[in-house]
Amino acid sequence: GRPGYVVKNYFFYYLFRFAAALGREIFYITFLPFTYWNFDPFVTRRLVGVWAIVMYLGQASKDIIKWPRPLSPPVVKLETRVDAEYGMPSTHAMAATAISFTFLMATMYRYKYSVAFGLMASTVLSALVSLSRLYTGMHTVLDVICGVLITAVLMTLTYPFWDILDNFQLTSPLTPIIAIVMPFFMSYTYPELDHYSPTRGDTTIILGVASGCTVGFWMNYQYGRTYEPTGSLPFKIPAITLQIVSLAIARFLIGIIVLVATRQVVKTLSLKVLYAWFDVAGHDLQARKRLEIEVPYKFATYSSIGFNATVVVPLLHQLLELL
């Protein structure tokens, strides 16, 4: 059907639609791997850890609090996919605040740059995404403010332990078991609703990515492949040359092809296995929404993506002499 609204200001419309995309799967599958392949795995590890904690708590809070989204009318909703979800707190606001400020906190002592500029950039990015949720009619001001505040509290509480947890995830022999069992259990025991909502599936995707990445981080460390910059701290940010840009684009495109292929193959195979196991017709799309099918297939698919992004793609880059 045609949208029930008329766009009068295309600048704000596209700006906020773009900002809204920063809280979706497309962002996780591009930005997080990009920082790993082209910037600094140390920073990516911080981003993945904080993002997974913040998003799990935000998504679960929505389904425990059960506050509806703003009424339409008076607001005009520019998105329909998440309409079945509850509104409080705004997980877009949480993700944007977590990603931008974790990036700042993980790089401010590690690289030479103006912290004032970094602070401004982080604030602008999280404000843009937060405002986009009001513009698209998906959240109230309270949803957004609570999302930002909850994230600020979580980051303040976890910050003293970032290095301890990172050291544990890289060195402990228990890491692969914990990284697979715990997130899978958390996805399976996610708060139940009386109707289908995409929150459980989205949370499983996030925990799956974090699980696969963590196993990958651990494995790379065990084999001495950390891909981190070398030299003394703080590092200088290299000048952006045509060679650096073209290498980054090549690494990114090859990586994304691998991740998209991984998603296709693992999703198809895991659904085939689960449909056969639970004796469900292959064309039954409703069956995908059942807990015992949705959680395992999404977890298997996205943990494979996380693992391949951190282990397989860098090896491929090395093979093709792109590192």
Side-chain angles (χ1 to χ4, degrees), residues 275 280-288 290:
Y275 281 167
V280 175
H283 55 266
D284 184 359
L285 291 177
Q286 283 304 309
R288 284 187 193 185
R290 282 164 47 180

Side-chain angles (χ1 to χ4, degrees), residues 111-127:
Y111 288 89
K112 284 181 189 166
Y113 69 91
S114 158
V115 175
F117 174 77
L119 189 61
M120 193 175 75
S122 306
T123 307
V124 167
L125 185 74
S126 52

Side-chain angles (χ1 to χ4, degrees), residues 213-255:
C213 286
T214 303
V215 174
F217 299 149
W218 177 83
M219 197 162 160
N220 284 340
Y221 184 82
Q222 299 304 313
Y223 287 96
R225 297 178 179 274
T226 53
Y227 307 105
E228 285 184 27
T230 50
S232 55
L233 291 170
F235 300 129
K236 274 186 179 166
I237 296 173
I240 295 172
T241 60
L242 189 62
Q243 189 198 8
I244 284 180
V245 172
S246 47
L247 267 176
I249 292 169
R251 284 195 288 256
F252 182 66
L253 290 176
I254 286 162

Side-chain angles (χ1 to χ4, degrees), residues 49-104:
V50 174
W51 168 72
I53 292 166
V54 164
M55 289 300 282
Y56 178 79
L57 291 170
Q59 295 276 72
S61 302
K62 273 186 184 181
D63 288 349
I64 292 167
I65 298 168
K66 298 184 179 176
W67 278 14
R69 289 191 180 272
L71 290 174
S72 175
V75 305
V76 176
K77 294 195 175 175
L78 305 191
E79 288 176 30
T80 51
R81 194 190 88 80
V82 293
D83 216 14
E85 287 184 13
Y86 290 109
M88 168 67 92
S90 164
T91 42
H92 271 76
M94 292 180 78
T97 307
I99 294 269
S100 46
F101 283 94
T102 300
F103 195 87
L104 174 72

Side-chain angles (χ1 to χ4, degrees), residues 170-192:
L170 293 179
T171 57
S172 170
L174 298 173
T175 295
I177 300 162
I178 296 170
I180 293 167
V181 174
M182 198 170 84
F184 185 75
F185 177 75
M186 286 161 73
S187 303
Y188 225 90
T189 56
Y190 186 78
E192 268 189 66

